[in-house]
């Protein structure tokens, strides 16, 4: 042997040997093997539970006779021995139902316990309830009790919801076995539920037994086999076995009966009383039995839960029972209206922390509901419980509930008194942790700062706990704040300005006036309120009353530069409220506010007058857009003239160096201008097709200086020349170049520490005439279909070029007017182009959802991103719009061969293969290869043969007949034959008849598809 082989042998021999697993039939051959196997020190393999399953499975296997007929299991020595072995394993486990129920199925355990009844000589054919348990042998009585205990426990367990098992891969034989086992289990449970009443009576009789019982052991089961020859009388084994004391048997039976009655309590409330009696007796017997019972198996925590629930659900019978749990005492206090006792429990619990916070909150909700239902005495209890809960949250550093803050908005002396009492009883300063003290100190400090009434603040700050918990600096800070709080009405009133002749009302409080100022949109009322406020105090800026009042930043400096405080507040508030009204489309009040503001500023500020004129122009544009929409009447000539005038005021210098007096005045005053007004004006001209002005009349210098004007001019020129000759591409190319530049990325080189040069790529170029976000915002101000179509076409073309995926190219109108390449393709941000294109199409469809070209583009976008169901939705919607929901022929320029092929691919990817075959007929040249391949698929997710009535091509129908015949699918073959036999599909018919038949089927099929995907 080589050295290497010797090493392998040595390693192999040094490994620990795994003992071979015992096989079930070995226990038949060797009677003593079972006991040796179960008494092994290491875990036996197979385990006791596995042995029970194997023995009973082999014993219950059906037999097959000479005629191959399945016969029930025979009663022979082999099967009897297997059943006896199963019983011996259960005896080794001391008939522990808790373990057996968890490990064995209901059918197996039912078989096991029925064998126990048989071997224990239970009289056959007699109901257990009719037997006299006192006169039966002890092992027989115990067998009856074990069986009936299992019956009631299984009935209770079956009433609990069970989470279904996650199904694995379907396997027919396993599925069949599972179904058979489920049916068998259901049948057994049905019988057990029918006999539940008898089982309960049997167990109640057992509680009257006064002697100990015996349960079979492995040795007594062996004795039964030897004593089987005895004919009458008790056998030796009937009074031997494992001794079960009377107390232990009563304890287990009480527990099982208590759980049964508890489960019946929801339908029969008096059952809770029985359950309580039995479960409390179980508790007493359990303490009497000791820590190591022989047969009794009870989960102490579960028993405590049952007892606690029974104490809550039933009326108390004595004082000692109320002391069982804190939860029970809480419920009894609520039921008996002992609310003072309830508050005492909550205050004590703030120290012991035994009740869960959510339980305390649920008690408060229950009391609040009772108070709302008319019990007025509970209002005081509710606020006290709420305060107790709030202090508990403070001590545990949890968020305080909203209800407490609501109470503290309008506190009373009683509330503050109880709050301080609760704080003192909940926190023992000598024993509390530093965290608890710190939390309580922060709570009291915040409470003082939030209270408006100095009297209540003084009550808290003078409390002994307050002075001990807060530092001197914190107490001084709160006292200083108290001194500063004085009624604002004591301020002296100033005489009114002569300019405002409306009388003021100094008697009205400032807070009420500020509230009215926030709510009103009446200009006259706003002016009057401000006059009254300024008459009460002159050192406050009332334009800051609401943080919702905002004016554009470019106007802020001009307005806040007004020297007169009243005028400044009035102008600021009028403009802020006007802007808010425009935002919520309340144009009537916005116009009133702006008109008042314009009248006011005209008298002292030409600059603000021009600002207000510009804002009123924006108001009129917005109002006209909202009132008429994109397809309304053409705007009045006065509005168009004002828009032109505004655009021309944006010029800094006129061509030729001349400047009008109007523009000279604007430069001299340095009028602040908002960019949004320019955008709206350009969009207004585009939406109302003022292309002549934008292309021919607008000053060239304005086009050069303002990016939005330049973009509007190029859009107008491109739309004006469509459809036109090849010269129109020159204007389109200029527009193309501008947009491409906006979507380019800028690169910057930077030297790193080691001297190498790294490349940093920024997501946005600074070379474009505007930022991408500004472009998208401007596009969303447009509503003219031609302008939107041009922009969609541009983005679709750019997207197709940068993506370079010809199979998934998106289509749109006027694609030929754009360049076919981009010089620096790598610099274009592909993702930004795709996002903008999708956003552009979505916005356009919101403007007009009936544009079939936009719908087709949207469908192509979904198709390119493999969202096939959505793509079909929009392809079908485009066709439905053009054909009166398919009642007319869909135009060939809408359902082109490319669109139809994409619809076919969508159906194929969705596994709707019959739809694929039908759509293949729609092509100019029927695609038989694709149709036949689709019809060969058997796993189709559509209606399959229900669609055969929509097929008009005889070749496809004949193929269907053949393939169904080949598969033996007679019913489907008959449907295909019926479709072929329709007279209107006869090939001898005139062409017009065949076309009409095809069109009728197209209509029905597309309508069916629309119902499916819409």
């Amino acid at each position: 042997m080589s050295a290497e082989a010797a090493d392998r042998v040595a390693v192999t021999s040094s490994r620990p040997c795994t003992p071979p697993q015992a096989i079930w039939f070995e226990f038949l051959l060797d009677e003593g093997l079972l006991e040796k196997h179960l008494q092994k020190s290491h875990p036996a393999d197979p385990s006791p539970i596995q042995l029970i399953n194997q023995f009973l499975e082999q014993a219950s296997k059906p037999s097959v006779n000479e005629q191959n007929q399945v016969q029930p299991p025979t009663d022979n020595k082999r099967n009897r021995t297997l059943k006896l072995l199963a019983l011996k394993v259960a005896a080794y486990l001391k008939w522990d139902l808790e373990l057996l129920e968890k490990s064995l199925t209901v059918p197996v355990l039912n078989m096991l316990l029925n064998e126990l009844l048989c071997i224990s000589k239970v009289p056959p054919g007699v109901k257990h309830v009719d037997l006299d348990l006192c006169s039966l042998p002890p092992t027989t009585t115990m067998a009856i009790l074990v069986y009936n205990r299992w019956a009631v426990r299984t009935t209770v367990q079956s009433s609990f919801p069970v989470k279904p098992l996650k199904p694995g891969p379907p396997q027919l034989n396993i599925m069949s076995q599972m179904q058979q086992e489920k049916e068998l289990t259901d049948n057994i449970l049905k019988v057990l539920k029918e006999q539940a009443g008898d089982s309960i009576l049997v167990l109640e009789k057992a509680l009257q037994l006064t002697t100990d019982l015996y349960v079979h052991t492995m040795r007594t089961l062996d004795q039964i086999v030897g004593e089987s020859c005895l004919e009458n009388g008790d056998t030796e084994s009937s009074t031997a076995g494992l001794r079960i004391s009377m107390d232990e048997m009563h304890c287990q039976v009480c527990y099982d009966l208590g759980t049964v009655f508890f489960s019946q309590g929801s339908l029969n409330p008096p059952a809770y009383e029985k359950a309580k009696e039995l479960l409390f007796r179980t508790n007493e017997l359990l303490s009497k039995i000791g820590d190591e019972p022989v047969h009794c198996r009870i989960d102490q925590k579960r028993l405590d839960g049952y007892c606690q629930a029974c104490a809550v659900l039933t009326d108390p019978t004595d004082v000692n029972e109320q002391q069982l749990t804190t939860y029970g005492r809480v419920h009894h206090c609520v039921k008996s209206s002992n609310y003072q006792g309830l508050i005492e429990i909550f205050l004590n619990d703030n120290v012991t922390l035994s009740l869960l916070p959510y339980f305390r909150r649920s008690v408060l909700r229950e009391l609040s509901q009772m108070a709302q239902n008319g019990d007025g005495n509970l209002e005081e209890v509710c606020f006290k419980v709420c305060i107790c809960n709030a202090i508990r949250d403070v001590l545990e550093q949890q968020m305080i509930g909203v209800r407490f803050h609501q109470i503290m908005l309008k506190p009373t002396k009683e509330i503050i008194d109880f709050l301080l009492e609760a704080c003192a009883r909940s926190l023992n300063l000598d024993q509390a942790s530093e965290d608890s003290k710190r939390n309580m100190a922060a709570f009291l400090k915040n409470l003082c700062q939030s209270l408006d009434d100095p009297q209540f603040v003084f009550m808290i700050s003078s409390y002994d706990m307050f002075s001990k918990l807060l530092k001197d600096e914190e107490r001084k800070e709160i006292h200083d704040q108290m001194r500063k709080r004085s009624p604002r009405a004591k301020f002296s009133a100033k005489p009114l300005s002569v300019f405002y002749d409306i009388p003021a009302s100094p008697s009205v409080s400032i807070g009420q006036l500020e509230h009215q100022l926030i709510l009103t949109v009446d200009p006259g009322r706003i002016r009057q309120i401000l006059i009254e406020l300024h008459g009460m105090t002159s050192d406050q800026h009332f334009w800051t009353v609401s943080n919702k009042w905002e004016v554009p930043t470019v106007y802020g400096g001009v307005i806040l530069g007004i020297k007169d405080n009243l005028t400044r507040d009035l102008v600021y508030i009028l403009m802020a409220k006007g802007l808010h009204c425009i935002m919520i489309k309340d144009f009537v009040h916005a116009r009133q506010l702006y008109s008042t503001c314009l009248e006011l500023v005209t008298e002292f500020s030409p600059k603000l007058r021009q600002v207000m004129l510009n804002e009123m122009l924006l108001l009129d544009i917005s109002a006209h857009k909202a009132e008429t929409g994109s397809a309304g009447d053409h705007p009045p000539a006065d509005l168009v003239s004002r828009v032109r005038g505004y655009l021309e005021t944006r010029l800094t210098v006129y061509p030729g160096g001349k400047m009008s007096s109007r523009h000279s005045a604007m430069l001299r005053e340095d009028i602040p201008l908002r960019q949004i007004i320019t955008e709206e004006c350009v969009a207004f001209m585009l939406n109302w097709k003022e292309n002549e002005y934008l292309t021919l009349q607008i000053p060239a210098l304005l086009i050069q200086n303002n990016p939005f004007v330049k973009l509007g001019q190029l859009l107008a020129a491109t739309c004006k020349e469509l459809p036109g000759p090849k010269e129109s591409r020159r204007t389109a190319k200029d527009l193309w170049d501008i947009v491409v530049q906006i979507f380019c990325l800028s690169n910057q080189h930077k030297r790193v520490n080691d001297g190498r040069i790294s490349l940093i790529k920024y997501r946005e170029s600074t070379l474009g005439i505007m930022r991408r976000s500004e472009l998208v915002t401007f596009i969303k101000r447009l509503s003219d279909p031609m302008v939107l179509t041009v922009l969609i076409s541009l983005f679709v073309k750019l997207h197709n070029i940068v993506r370079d995926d010809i199979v998934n190219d998106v289509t749109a109108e006027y694609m030929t007017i754009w360049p076919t390449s981009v010089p620096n393709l790598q610099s274009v941000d592909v993702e930004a182009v795709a996002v903008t294109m999708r956003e552009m199409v979505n916005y356009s469809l919101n403007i007009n959802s009936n544009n079939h070209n936009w719908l087709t583009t949207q469908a192509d976008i979904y198709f390119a991103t493999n969202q096939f169901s959505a793509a079909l939705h929009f392809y079908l919607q485009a066709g439905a719009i053009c054909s009166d929901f398919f009642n007319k022929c869909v135009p060939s320029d809408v359902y082109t061969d490319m669109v139809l092929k994409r619809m076919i691919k969508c159906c194929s990817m969705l596994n709707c293969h019959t739809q694929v075959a039908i759509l293949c007929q729609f092509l100019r040249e029927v695609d038989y290869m694709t149709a036949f391949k689709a019809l060969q698929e058997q796993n189709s997710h559509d209606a399959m043969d229900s669609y055969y009535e929509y097929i008009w091509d005889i070749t496809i129908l004949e193929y269907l007949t053949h393939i169904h015949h080949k598969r033996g699918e007679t019913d489907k073959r008959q449907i295909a034959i019926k479709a072929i036999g329709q007279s209107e599909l006869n090939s001898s018919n005139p062409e017009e008849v065949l076309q009409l038949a095809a069109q009728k089927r197209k209509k029905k099929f597309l309508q069916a598809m629309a119902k499916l995907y819409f």
Side-chain angles (χ1 to χ4, degrees), residues 162-175:
V162 179
K163 183 179 180 181
L165 297 175
K166 185 177 181 181
Q171 300 180 21
L172 293 179
N173 55 342
I174 295 178
M175 294 287 287

Side-chain angles (χ1 to χ4, degrees), residues 687-893:
N687 291 336
W688 296 106
K689 302 184 186 302
E690 293 289 333
N691 296 336
E692 290 292 334
Y693 174 78
L694 289 173
T695 54
L696 300 177
Q697 301 176 25
I698 196 165
L701 192 59
L702 179 58
I703 297 174
Q704 296 173 11
N705 292 339
N706 193 291
F708 294 99
V709 176
K710 183 173 185 178
L711 180 63
Q713 187 265 340
L714 290 174
L715 278 169
T718 305
C719 294
K720 181 181 176 183
E721 295 174 0
L722 284 176
K726 291 185 177 180
E727 287 74 14
S728 64
R729 296 186 181 181
R730 184 179 306 166
T731 309
K733 185 179 184 306
D734 294 339
L735 178 61
W736 170 273
D737 291 340
I738 285 177
V739 174
V740 170
Q741 189 65 55
I742 294 173
F743 284 87
C744 282
L745 299 169
S746 63
N747 299 327
Q748 179 179 345
H749 295 279
K750 181 179 180 181
R751 189 176 301 276
V752 293
N753 295 335
D754 59 0
R756 292 182 292 105
I757 295 178
S758 64
L759 180 65
I760 298 178
K761 181 175 286 187
Y762 289 91
R763 299 302 295 170
E764 187 125 13
S765 172
T766 57
L767 302 177
I769 63 172
M770 65 181 71
R771 300 177 64 85
R772 290 175 208 154
S773 58
E774 293 174 337
L775 174 63
V776 173
T777 302
F778 175 73
I779 288 173
K780 290 185 178 180
R781 303 188 195 282
L782 302 173
S783 57
D784 180 62
M786 179 59 74
V787 177
L788 293 175
T789 298
V790 167
L791 285 168
I792 290 174
S793 174
L794 187 153
F795 282 110
V796 166
K797 184 70 174 182
L798 182 58
H799 172 267
N800 290 344
I801 292 174
V802 297
R803 180 164 177 164
D804 193 21
D805 182 8
I806 192 170
V807 176
N808 293 319
D809 270 356
V810 183
T811 60
E813 289 185 280
Y814 307 121
M815 296 281 283
T816 57
I817 67 173
W818 309 111
T820 56
S821 62
V822 176
N824 191 7
L825 188 61
Q826 292 77 15
S827 65
V828 179
D829 190 341
V830 180
E831 184 62 27
V833 171
V835 170
T836 307
M837 177 187 69
R838 289 195 292 267
E839 200 169 348
M840 176 81 218
V841 175
N842 286 330
Y843 169 74
S844 300
L845 287 173
N846 286 333
I847 296 294
N848 180 11
S849 59
N850 293 329
N851 189 309
H852 66 85
N853 290 305
W854 298 348
L855 290 168
T856 304
T857 301
Q858 181 74 296
D860 287 343
I861 293 172
Y862 282 121
F863 179 83
T865 54
N866 298 330
Q867 299 180 65
F868 301 112
S869 181
L872 268 177
H873 169 87
F874 284 99
Y875 282 133
L876 290 166
Q877 191 173 346
I881 286 169
C882 299
S883 60
D884 189 19
F885 198 67
F886 304 112
N887 286 307
K888 301 176 184 176
C889 292
V890 180
S892 58
D893 60 335

Side-chain angles (χ1 to χ4, degrees), residues 196-377:
D198 290 348
S199 296
I200 291 172
L201 291 175
V202 170
L203 295 178
E204 287 178 335
K205 282 184 178 181
L207 295 178
Q208 300 171 7
L209 296 174
T210 57
T211 59
D212 296 340
L213 297 179
Y214 294 86
V215 66
H216 282 302
T217 61
M218 296 180 69
R219 196 161 302 282
T220 59
L221 290 170
D222 281 333
Q223 291 174 3
I224 288 177
V225 178
E227 297 169 352
S228 58
C229 57
L230 297 177
E231 296 179 359
N232 299 314
D234 292 349
T235 64
E236 182 183 349
S237 62
S238 66
T239 55
L242 183 65
R243 179 173 171 272
I244 308 299
S245 69
M246 180 190 67
D247 289 338
E248 192 170 342
M249 182 267 293
H250 283 181
C251 180
Q252 186 68 64
V253 172
C254 284
Y255 177 76
D256 292 332
L257 278 175
T259 59
V260 174
F261 287 125
F262 188 88
S263 67
Q264 296 174 352
S266 58
L267 299 177
N268 182 24
Y272 285 128
E273 293 288 349
K274 292 183 179 179
K276 182 180 70 173
E277 180 184 350
L278 291 164
L279 291 167
F280 274 68
R281 186 179 173 192
T282 303
N283 236 336
E284 296 172 1
L285 290 170
L286 202 59
S287 59
K288 184 177 179 182
I289 291 170
D291 296 333
E292 296 183 358
V294 176
H295 179 70
C296 186
R297 297 289 183 271
I298 295 175
D299 184 349
Q300 183 65 55
K301 290 184 179 179
R302 194 173 184 85
L303 175 62
D304 291 343
Y306 274 123
C307 291
Q308 180 178 305
C310 289
V312 170
L313 294 169
T314 59
D315 295 328
T317 54
D318 54 40
V319 178
N320 293 329
E321 183 183 321
Q322 295 184 22
Q323 306 301 323
L324 181 63
T325 63
T326 309
Y327 291 95
R329 288 191 291 133
V330 169
H331 280 285
H332 291 316
C333 285
V334 174
K335 281 187 174 183
S336 59
S337 301
N338 181 14
Y339 299 122
Q340 187 59 41
L342 175 67
I343 294 168
E344 287 294 324
I345 294 173
F346 272 46
L347 287 172
N348 294 332
D349 183 66
N350 283 351
V351 179
T352 61
L353 306 180
S354 60
L355 295 175
L356 292 173
Y358 77 86
F359 174 77
R360 295 173 59 124
R361 289 193 290 270
S362 69
V363 173
L364 176 59
R365 283 195 298 270
E366 182 179 350
L367 293 173
S368 300
Q369 187 66 39
M370 293 166 63
Q372 290 176 5
N373 291 337
D375 193 345
N377 299 327

Side-chain angles (χ1 to χ4, degrees), residues 87-101:
L87 290 172
K88 291 172 74 173
V89 177
Y92 170 78
L93 298 175
K94 298 182 180 179
W95 303 100
D96 184 353
L97 284 183
E98 190 78 23
L99 174 61
L100 295 173
E101 287 170 345

Side-chain angles (χ1 to χ4, degrees), residues 400-605:
I400 300 176
V402 175
R403 186 175 178 84
F404 176 79
H405 293 292
Q406 292 174 337
I407 291 174
M408 288 300 149
L409 288 176
K410 295 181 179 179
T412 61
K413 184 178 182 300
E414 291 75 13
I415 291 176
I416 300 299
D417 285 338
F418 181 77
L419 173 67
L420 296 175
E421 178 191 350
C423 290
R425 292 188 56 178
S426 302
L427 186 70
N428 188 333
L429 295 179
D430 297 331
Q431 301 176 357
S433 64
E434 290 299 322
D435 287 341
S436 298
K437 293 179 182 178
R438 189 161 48 250
N439 294 338
M440 183 63 77
F443 169 69
L444 293 174
K445 179 181 176 182
N446 293 334
L447 187 62
C448 288
Q449 292 174 339
S450 64
L451 292 174
D452 292 329
D453 194 329
Q455 176 190 354
F456 297 143
V457 178
F458 180 77
M459 287 175 63
I460 298 173
S461 62
S462 59
Y463 201 67
D464 183 55
M465 177 179 284
F466 184 88
S467 59
K468 291 180 180 179
L469 290 176
L470 270 73
K471 299 177 181 177
D472 293 339
E473 298 82 4
E474 293 175 319
R475 295 200 303 273
K476 183 177 181 300
E477 178 185 350
I478 292 174
H479 292 154
D480 291 342
Q481 291 176 357
M482 289 171 58
R483 283 193 294 270
K484 290 180 180 178
R485 292 179 185 175
S486 56
R488 300 170 70 177
K490 293 182 180 179
F491 284 82
S492 59
K494 295 191 69 175
L496 301 178
S497 173
V498 179
F499 178 78
Y500 303 97
D501 53 359
I502 303 176
S505 304
S507 60
V508 181
S509 70
I510 294 178
Q512 291 175 328
L513 289 175
E514 288 178 347
H515 182 66
Q516 295 175 24
L517 184 64
I518 292 172
L519 296 179
T520 185
V521 289
D522 178 24
R525 181 61 183 151
I526 292 172
R527 176 181 288 184
Q528 181 179 355
I529 292 172
L530 284 173
I531 292 172
E532 294 180 5
L533 287 170
H534 278 273
M536 295 177 182
T537 176
S538 60
D539 61 349
Q540 186 173 353
H541 303 297
F542 290 103
W543 59 269
T544 62
V545 166
S546 173
N547 58 2
K548 302 294 183 182
W549 292 342
E550 296 179 354
V551 299
T553 307
V554 292
Y555 299 158
V558 181
I559 296 175
L560 297 180
I562 300 174
K563 295 181 180 179
D564 183 71
N565 292 342
L566 177 55
T567 306
R568 179 180 61 244
D569 288 343
L570 185 55
V571 172
Y572 188 99
I573 293 172
L574 288 173
M575 178 174 282
K577 284 182 172 287
L579 289 168
H580 176 72
C581 288
I582 294 175
M583 184 179 68
I584 62 175
K585 300 187 184 303
D586 183 4
F587 299 111
V588 174
H589 284 113
R591 191 168 280 109
Q592 293 175 0
L593 291 162
Y594 275 3
S595 298
T596 304
C597 190
L598 176 63
E599 180 184 352
L600 177 63
V601 300
T602 299
E603 299 186 14
F604 66 89
S605 176

